[in-house]
Each structure stands twice: as structure tokens, then as C-alpha cells.
């Protein structure tokens, strides 16, 4: 596709349930990032994938959060046993190439609400 | 670690000039980026400064002083559509600086 695609755009679930968020990056982009953005706040880094290298998971807030990227393309972010503090917009971004100076291209995000 | 400071909100009228300052403290530094985000929308890339000086792109310009750990985004000839949040982000950590650390964002409100 032309841009980064995320699904679902909105997700409402009950506390304690597991959720899966999907990101489809721009074709050919080797780097993929997940961020979390609470209302009126900046972007909090969660995890970074680059090609076939081991992901940088240093931003994951707890072991309830995990992510994978299959075939170097689509990525899923999984949150287990959701808590109300997990409510936020989850943004995915992809970047061309191995150089960090290339801009990141963001999807529209998944707005997650935990009841 | 990395930390960035930018003002939380700025209000200006159409046609005016707004400068959004960003100061940073980092353990490593490769460059400073700026992103724009309209309410409910995706952040979009505006500019990137790796070296000291001013980069101009149309009505928007970005400045960097590495010795002062400081940069700014200058918005000229403000238009209503410029009402958005603006984030500075430091490229500094991770292998080859592949991670961005974002500031808390500056909400710009443009009034008629």
C-alpha cells in the first residue's frame, strides 16, 4: 500500500482480555517501530525491528507486552491481561533502509480503550 | 538516557510567526527531527537537522545548535491548517542512532 496501515482503528475491550494490534508497513521498508501515545502526551517508544536483527525491546513497559514481525513485513503487538492504564493510541511507523536519518512514516494508530 | 523539553502550548494569529524551542539532554546524539500531528491523525515528518544551522522548507524552518543542545522549529505566515501538535525528537540511542526519543509536544493554536 501507499502508507502504513494499522488495524483495527479502534478497539474497546474489557480489563483482563488479550488484544492484538496489527501493522502493515510501507513495502520495502526494513525498519518498523511501535509507539504508545497517551492523550495529550508525546510518543513513548515500545519496540523496534530492523530486518532480520534481534528486535530492540527496551521500551516494552511489562512482560504483558510482546511483538513480532513475520517475514520482515507485517507486525503484531500483543497485550495480554489488559489493564486500564494500557488505554492509549498505539502507533506504528516504518522507515526505509538501515540509516536512522531517514524519516519515519506513521500509521493512523489504533485507539485502545480498556473498560 | 534522553530527555527533551518543549513548551506545551503556543497561540498565535494567522499570518504571524511562531518559534517552538526544544532543548535536549542525551547520552548520544545524531540529529534532531520535527514531526507535526493533527488531532486524531498520524505524526508526519517535517524536518531533520544533523548539523548546526538553519534548514528551510517552505514556510517552515528548523535550526540546530549542538553545542547548546538546542533547536527550534519556525513556522512563518501561519495558516489555520497549521493548528496541530509539533514534536521534536532526538535520534540518539540504539545501533547507529536508530531510535527516536520524542518530546512531549507543543500544541499550536492558530486564531483568525
Amino acid at each position: 500500500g501507499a502508507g502504513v496501515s494499522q488495524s483495527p482503528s479502534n478497539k474497546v475491550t474489557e480489563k483482563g482480555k488479550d488484544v492484538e494490534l496489527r501493522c502493515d508497513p510501507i513495502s520495502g521498508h526494513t525498519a518498523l517501530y511501535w509507539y504508545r501515545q497517551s492523550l495529550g502526551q508525546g510518543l513513548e517508544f515500545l519496540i523496534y525491528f530492523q530486518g532480520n536483527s534481534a528486535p530492540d525491546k527496551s521500551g516494552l513497559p511489562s512482560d504483558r507486552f510482546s511483538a513480532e514481525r513475520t517475514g520482515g513485513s507485517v507486525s503484531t503487538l500483543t497485550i495480554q491481561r489488559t489493564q486500564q492504564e494500557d488505554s492509549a493510541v498505539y502507533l506504528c511507523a516504518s522507515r526505509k533502509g538501515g540509516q536512522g536519518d531517514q524519516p519515519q512514516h506513521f500509521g493512523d494508530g489504533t485507539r485502545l480503550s480498556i473498560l | 538516557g534522553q530527555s527533551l523539553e518543549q513548551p506545551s502550548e503556543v497561540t498565535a494569529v494567522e499570518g504571524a510567526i511562531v518559534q517552538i524551542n526544544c532543548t535536549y539532554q542525551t547520552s548520544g546524539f545524531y540529529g534532531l527531527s520535527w514531526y507535526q500531528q493533527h488531532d486524531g491523525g498520524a505524526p508526519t515528518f517535517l524536518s531533520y537537522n544533523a548539523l548546526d544551522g538553519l534548514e528551510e522548507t517552505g514556510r517552515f524552518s528548523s535550526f540546530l545548535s549542538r553545542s547548546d543542545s538546542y533547536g527550534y522549529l519556525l513556522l512563518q505566515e501561519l495558516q489555520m491548517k497549521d493548528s496541530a501538535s509539533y514534536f521534536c525528537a532526538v535520534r540518539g540511542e540504539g545501533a547507529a542512532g536508530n531510535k527516536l526519543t520524542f518530546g512531549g509536544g507543543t500544541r499550536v493554536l492558530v486564531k483568525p
Side-chain angles (χ1 to χ4, degrees):
Chain A
V4 177
S5 177
Q6 291 189 245
S7 61
S9 54
N10 286 281
K11 177 72 176 179
V12 181
T13 193
E14 293 180 345
K15 176 183 170 181
K17 301 287 188 185
D18 297 352
V19 295
E20 259 191 18
L21 313 179
R22 176 187 168 105
C23 173
D24 210 330
I26 293 172
S27 178
H29 281 197
T30 59
L32 187 147
Y33 300 78
W34 283 99
Y35 295 90
R36 177 168 70 175
Q37 186 176 31
S38 300
L39 189 63
Q41 301 298 311
L43 282 69
E44 176 191 3
F45 167 81
L46 297 177
I47 188 168
Y48 158 62
F49 296 88
Q50 172 62 60
N52 295 321
S53 302
D56 179 344
K57 305 179 182 180
S58 60
L60 294 178
S62 78
D63 59 9
R64 296 186 296 106
F65 288 72
S66 63
E68 59 181 28
R69 188 178 185 192
T70 53
S73 182
V74 171
S75 176
T76 55
L77 176 69
T78 301
I79 309 173
Q80 296 178 307
R81 304 181 303 281
T82 51
Q83 303 293 313
Q84 288 186 331
E85 61 262 28
D86 300 334
S87 296
V89 175
Y90 289 82
L91 291 160
C92 175
S94 70
R95 175 174 57 76
K96 186 194 317 185
Q99 294 300 315
D101 59 346
Q102 295 291 315
Q104 295 186 18
H105 299 263
F106 285 83
D108 287 333
T110 294
R111 185 174 300 275
L112 178 64
S113 300
I114 309 299
L115 303 179
Chain B
Q2 323 271 61
S3 69
L4 295 90
E5 285 195 20
Q6 52 181 127
S8 58
E9 192 170 298
V10 172
T11 301
V13 296
E14 270 188 300
I17 298 174
V18 161
Q19 179 173 315
I20 303 171
N21 298 321
C22 175
T23 57
Y24 57 87
Q25 290 184 320
T26 65
S27 56
F29 183 83
Y30 286 85
L32 185 71
S33 298
W34 290 91
Y35 285 77
Q36 178 193 60
Q37 185 181 32
H38 287 97
D39 284 349
T44 56
F45 172 79
L46 291 177
S47 68
Y48 175 71
N49 294 65
L51 302 176
D52 291 351
L54 190 69
E55 296 277 345
E56 298 182 68
T57 309
R59 294 187 297 111
F60 295 178
S61 302
S62 58
F63 172 83
L64 175 65
S65 169
R66 289 173 296 170
S67 60
D68 295 322
S69 297
Y70 163 76
Y72 67 72
L73 180 69
L74 193 70
L75 315 179
Q76 302 182 78
E77 301 172 22
L78 274 179
Q79 301 176 7
M80 296 297 291
K81 67 179 181 180
D82 298 331
S83 291
S85 292
Y86 294 83
F87 296 89
C88 57
V90 163
R91 176 192 165 211
E93 287 188 326
N98 285 322
K99 283 168 58 174
L100 288 182
T101 301
F102 285 80
T106 299
R107 190 173 182 85
V108 173
L109 178 61
V110 181
K111 294 187 172 179

